Amino acid sequence: MPTRRLSADAGGIAEAGALLRAGRLVAVPTETVYGLGADAGNPAAVAGIYAAKERPRFNPLIAHLPDLAAARREGDFGAEALRLAQAFWPGPLTLVVPVAAGGRVCDLARAGLPSVALRVPGSPLARAVLAAAGCPVAAPSANRSGRVSPTQADHVRGDLDGRIAAILDGGPCPVGVESTIVACLDGPPVLLRPGGVPRVAIEAVLGRKLALPSALAGAAPVSPGLLASHYAPRAAVRLDATEIRPGEAALLFGPTAPRGLDAAATFLNLSPAGDLAEAAAHLFASLRRLDASGVATIAVAPIPEAGLGEAIRDRLARAAAPR
């Protein structure tokens, strides 16, 4: 059965909430990317996410809540986790905290871990759907696992048409890269994935540096986005390219054209002005467009590491990883 497209109005929000309560899958736009939503307390619904995405079952899911009060019913927030939640929620920050007694996020969504990944999204539309659903909503990116994340409703339809009940069409996602993930478990907070909230902003609130994922070495992934190969187009990805080889597609950044651009099969510029926020918003859509051209390789110009550049480079490094 084809996937329905719902309008981003009161009727569409109510219908999306009803479908989620009924155990169906609905793609919902957030400020970061479109999420593939299901009732996080319903193991059968969560299993449907894994089936639709063809996702490894050891990779846990983020549960989305409409506000901090609802999130605190699902996870135990220590002082630092609470400080970060109050500073950055609603917004593109996910916190991994110990699961609360009586929390509704099921074992399958948590991949059997004693922790839970929680987020209050910055999108008012997403929070309205969460309020209408009345349950924690597990919502990984609404694409086939490992592929490029969707920032428009048509991206979702291209990957998941016929696999899910509905797509709530809220237009393009303004941030364009997934949430930053910070684990607040035993020991200092750990930056698991750079994303929509820059590291420096988080460290300013904490008053100390974030630890690196090596602090959790040897453990199973405690959040999404930690697999080495992820966000991958079908084409190979070549990073930090200062020269474009004949026949490659080129993904550019900034006003300076690399050598050999005239021999490129096609090219797009994430931000001709060199604006990292603009580049983040365009990243996944640009990868999809270049991949659709059928080239064997996408050459990516150097991206600065500062601010949102860290998140952009992280996604590109995972897209370029061996598969």
Side-chain angles (χ1 to χ4, degrees):
M1 177 180 291
T3 296
R4 297 174 56 205
R5 190 184 293 249
L6 305 177
S7 298
D9 54 21
I13 291 168
E15 187 163 359
L19 287 168
L20 289 166
R21 287 195 304 277
R24 307 292 299 281
L25 303 184
V26 180
V28 178
T30 75
E31 76 279 22
T32 57
V33 300
Y34 275 72
L36 179 54
D39 178 355
N42 181 337
V46 173
I49 289 178
Y50 289 116
K53 286 179 63 70
E54 301 173 359
R55 184 188 185 106
R57 279 170 169 72
F58 53 81
N59 206 11
L61 305 177
I62 297 170
H64 295 69
L65 291 308
D67 52 43
L68 176 56
R72 295 186 75 174
R73 290 192 286 271
E74 304 301 328
D76 286 332
F77 284 70
E80 289 183 308
L82 186 58
R83 198 181 314 157
L84 292 177
Q86 291 169 335
F88 297 110
W89 283 355
L93 175 68
T94 293
L95 295 172
V96 179
V97 296
V99 66
R104 292 181 290 173
V105 179
C106 70
D107 183 76
L108 183 59
R110 293 185 287 104
L113 296 168
S115 57
V116 62
L118 302 172
R119 183 163 95 88
V120 177
S123 162
L125 177 60
R127 294 200 305 277
V129 172
L130 295 170
C135 59
V137 173
S141 57
N143 56 285
R144 300 284 184 98
S145 185
R147 297 299 182 187
V148 181
S149 299
T151 55
Q152 300 174 22
D154 285 344
H155 297 165
V156 181
R157 185 176 293 279
D159 264 12
L160 299 176
D161 191 26
R163 290 173 168 247
I164 65 177
I167 302 168
L168 184 66
D169 188 349
C173 301
V175 174
V177 292
E178 292 87 352
S179 60
T180 304
I181 303 179
V182 174
C184 296
L185 300 168
D186 295 330
V190 178
L191 177 66
L192 297 178
R193 180 180 75 182
V197 179
R199 176 204 304 261
V200 65
I202 296 169
E203 291 177 340
V205 169
L206 291 174
R208 62 165 163 167
K209 295 287 187 181
L210 287 163
L212 297 177
S214 57
L216 299 174
V222 296
S223 78
L226 299 184
L227 299 181
S229 177
H230 209 55
Y231 317 107
R234 291 172 178 80
V237 176
R238 185 167 69 87
L239 302 179
D240 294 319
T242 57
E243 182 173 0
I244 308 304
R245 299 167 185 166
E248 290 183 324
L251 186 61
L252 310 180
F253 175 80
T256 304
R259 297 189 304 275
L261 184 60
D262 56 349
T266 185
F267 69 90
L268 293 170
N269 197 321
L270 291 172
S271 174
D275 183 283
L276 287 169
E278 181 183 25
H282 292 165
L283 176 62
F284 290 132
S286 297
L287 279 174
R288 284 176 174 272
R289 285 179 60 190
L290 294 178
D291 200 32
S293 71
V295 296
T297 303
I298 299 171
V300 182
I303 306 290
E305 294 187 2
L308 282 174
E310 182 179 21
I312 295 169
R313 290 182 63 87
D314 173 80
R315 303 310 188 277
L316 287 168
R318 295 176 191 276
R323 307 166 200 169

